[in-house]
């Protein structure tokens, strides 16, 4: 497969754009592989890519029930950041940021990574102290952070309501290296990169069950026949509980819909990503000009990729509290993606709980920004049979042993879901 370059762009322009090859092969499944990754979203494709690139394991298949980019990969708000507090999380997400920063050169693909910054607004002295603590923890882990006062935030975002009687804006915690990336370009780039290294990407291939040898998992049953493998990794965010049900497993996660919204296009307005410190609302602006924003998950468990009106109202209230101009905008579209919620708001990347089976799930609100590090760490865990130190805290048994990660940077009170 040829590399994309300025010269290839010129050459194809001269021949009428007829020389472009498909970005990846539409592979047919083989009878057996060294590793099968179930789920062709960002995490699954990144895992396959790093298995081949970092560990030399190329007899790998990624099985996707639809087509690449049709699942949660196309249903998120594209934010990348590493502004976490606790040791179990911050080094992992900072490693993800570093992978984001070199991703386009690594994949030879324009993922539209834009490090335009994120500002977490604070509205009280106590919240400022909490953000100062988080910013210091970020710096200790090698991440960047800066505590902004009210006037510094006003200079960057004059359109915010600084004098709201309930939620006056007193400043914000900024991470300048954070930003956004193009969600579908990320999965297409990883698919192309994995294919280039020999990975089979099998689309329209739904896993319907597992092949067992005693307690061990040695393959999967699919709508395109049985496929055996030495190792099976699950990266099916939002559907993990359904997929493992046939194995008799019940995991400590719930599935919820998470809605997002896009407004009509505007001239450049929002400089980066802004989050509302006293509620769950976040907003950025796409390259097309639309404001992209969202809030909390739907409160009830669901596998439906649509949301309910009370959450729409809650998101609108949060947006109006900090950014009243949203009330004058017309909405173009809304959608709901599925998220696996764990009770501490942090993911699971681990071996087991059955021989031959590996888990990558429970991404809560944070799946997109974790895509590179998730794939990198999951590939290490599958290849070596043990977790890397970066995902050592994301083990499954923490809910039994009590070593949960009580992180406040993951969303609004995940333990109350």
């Amino acid at each position: 497969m040829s590399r994309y370059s300025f010269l290839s762009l010129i050459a194809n322009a001269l021949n009428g754009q007829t020389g472009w090859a498909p970005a990846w092969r539409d592979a047919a499944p083989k009878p057996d592989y060294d590793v099968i990754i179930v789920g062709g979203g960002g995490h699954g494709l990144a895992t396959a890519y790093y298995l081949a690139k970092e560990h030399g394991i190329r007899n790998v298949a990624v099985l996707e029930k639809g087509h690449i980019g049709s699942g949660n990969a196309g249903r998120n708000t594209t934010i990348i950041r590493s502004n976490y507090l606790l040791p179990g999380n911050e080094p992992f997400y900072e490693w993800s940021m570093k992978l984001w920063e070199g991703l386009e050169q690594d994949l030879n693909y324009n993922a539209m990574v834009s490090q335009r910054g994120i500002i977490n607004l604070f509205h009280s002295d106590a919240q400022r102290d909490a953000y100062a603590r988080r910013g210091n923890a970020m710096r200790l882990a090698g991440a960047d952070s800066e505590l902004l006062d009210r006037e510094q935030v006003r200079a960057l975002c004059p359109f915010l309501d600084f004098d709201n009687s309930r939620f006056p804006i007193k400043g914000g915690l900024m991470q300048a290296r954070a930003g956004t990336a193009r969600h579908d370009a990320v999965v297409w780039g990883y698919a192309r990169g994995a294919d280039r290294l020999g990975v089979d990407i099998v689309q329209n291939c739904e896993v319907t069950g597992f092949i067992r040898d005693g307690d061990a998992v040695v393959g999967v049953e699919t709508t395109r026949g049985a496929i055996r493998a030495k190792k099976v990794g699950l990266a099916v965010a939002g559907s993990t509980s359904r997929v493992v049900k046939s194995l008799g497993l019940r995991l400590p996660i719930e599935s919820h819909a998470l809605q997002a919204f896009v407004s009509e296009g505007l001239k450049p307005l929002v400089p980066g990503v802004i989050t509302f410190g006293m509620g769950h609302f976040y907003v950025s602006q796409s390259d097309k000009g639309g404001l992209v924003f969202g809030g909390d998950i739907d409160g009830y468990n669901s596998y439906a990729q649509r949301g309910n009106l009370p959450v729409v109202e809650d998101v609108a209230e949060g947006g109006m509290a900090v950014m009243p101009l949203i009330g004058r905008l017309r909405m173009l579209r809304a959608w709901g993606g599925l998220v696996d919620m764990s009770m501490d708001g942090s993911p699971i990347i681990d071996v087991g709980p059955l021989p031959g089976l590996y888990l990558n799930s429970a991404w809560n609100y944070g799946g997109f920004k974790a895509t590179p590090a998730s794939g990198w760490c999951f590939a290490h865990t599958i290849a070596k049979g043990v977790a890397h130190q970066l995902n050592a805290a994301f083990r499954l048994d923490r809910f039994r042993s009590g070593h949960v990660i009580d992180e406040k940077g993951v969303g609004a009170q995940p333990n109350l879901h």
Side-chain angles (χ1 to χ4, degrees), residues 1-5 8 20-25 45-46 49 68 103-110 184-199 201:
M1 184 176 294
S2 61
R3 288 180 59 82
Y4 294 146
S5 66
S8 68
W20 297 112
W24 62 86
R25 294 168 294 124
L45 292 165
Y49 174 73
I68 298 302
L103 187 68
E104 292 168 327
Q105 291 74 23
D106 188 22
L107 297 178
N108 181 228
Y109 201 89
N110 182 11
D184 41 15
V186 172
V187 291
W188 295 338
Y190 272 119
R192 183 173 180 274
D195 177 85
R196 190 174 67 237
L197 295 174
V199 171
I201 298 170

Side-chain angles (χ1 to χ4, degrees), residues 260-278:
F261 309 85
V262 178
S263 77
E264 61 182 324
L266 305 175
K267 292 181 178 179
L269 174 69
V270 181
V273 182
I274 299 169
T275 75
F276 175 30
M278 297 300 286

Side-chain angles (χ1 to χ4, degrees), residues 382-401:
I382 292 173
K384 304 295 184 182
V386 294
H388 190 275
Q389 62 179 2
L390 288 170
N391 63 302
F394 298 157
R395 57 186 183 270
L396 175 61
D397 70 354
R398 70 179 187 269
F399 301 101
R400 183 176 62 231
S401 66

